[in-house]
Amino acid sequence: MKYYLLSVIQPSEGEPPSAEALARIMGEVETFHQQLREAGAWVFAGGLDGPETAVVLRPEGAGVRVTEGPYADGKEYLGGLCLIKAPDLDAALDWGRRASRATTLPIEVRPFQHTAED
């Protein structure tokens, strides 16, 4: 088994979903998470606050420089993540497809460098 990161790609611009639509989406996301748990693929998942809440720490000489706010402006940002275990990339991509349908957002699927310890 390998670990895979499913990154939720959030658009920076546009209108957020209505409260009713967001409630429906979150219900779909919880169903997706339950499917991961039942399949033994669940490791962790969570949403992130917007990039305006970010703090970047950068080594500088003997110290560390702290920069508040987003590091880079972009049309998209990391809105959340899901860490899963899957036997191969095809299985991880299948979970990524399900995540995309549940969140209604693009999902980036990336393998970790090491295998999962079962």
Side-chain angles (χ1 to χ4, degrees):
M1 298 287 265
K2 285 192 68 103
Y3 288 120
Y4 291 87
L5 177 66
L6 307 182
S7 300
V8 180
I9 308 301
Q10 183 76 38
S12 297
E13 300 174 354
E15 291 294 317
S18 67
E20 180 180 287
L22 185 57
R24 181 184 49 76
I25 291 167
M26 294 312 296
E28 293 292 327
V29 169
E30 186 50 44
T31 298
F32 168 68
H33 290 169
Q34 187 59 37
Q35 292 170 347
L36 284 169
R37 288 182 189 97
E38 290 170 0
W42 169 269
V43 177
F44 173 82
L48 297 170
D49 284 332
E52 68 280 359
T53 66
V55 177
V56 177
L57 306 170
R58 184 180 316 283
E60 188 174 88
V64 175
R65 182 172 34 132
V66 178
T67 306
E68 294 185 11
Y71 173 68
D73 289 328
K75 294 182 183 194
E76 302 173 325
Y77 64 91
L78 180 62
L81 57 94
C82 186
L83 180 60
I84 65 167
K85 288 190 293 187
D88 54 36
L89 180 59
D90 288 336
L93 290 174
D94 182 53
W95 286 116
R97 286 182 191 93
R98 295 180 196 196
S100 183
R101 287 193 302 267
T103 63
T104 71
L105 294 169
I107 301 293
E108 178 186 73
V109 177
R110 293 177 70 182
F112 278 78
Q113 295 177 352
H114 304 286
T115 59
E117 295 180 19
D118 292 325

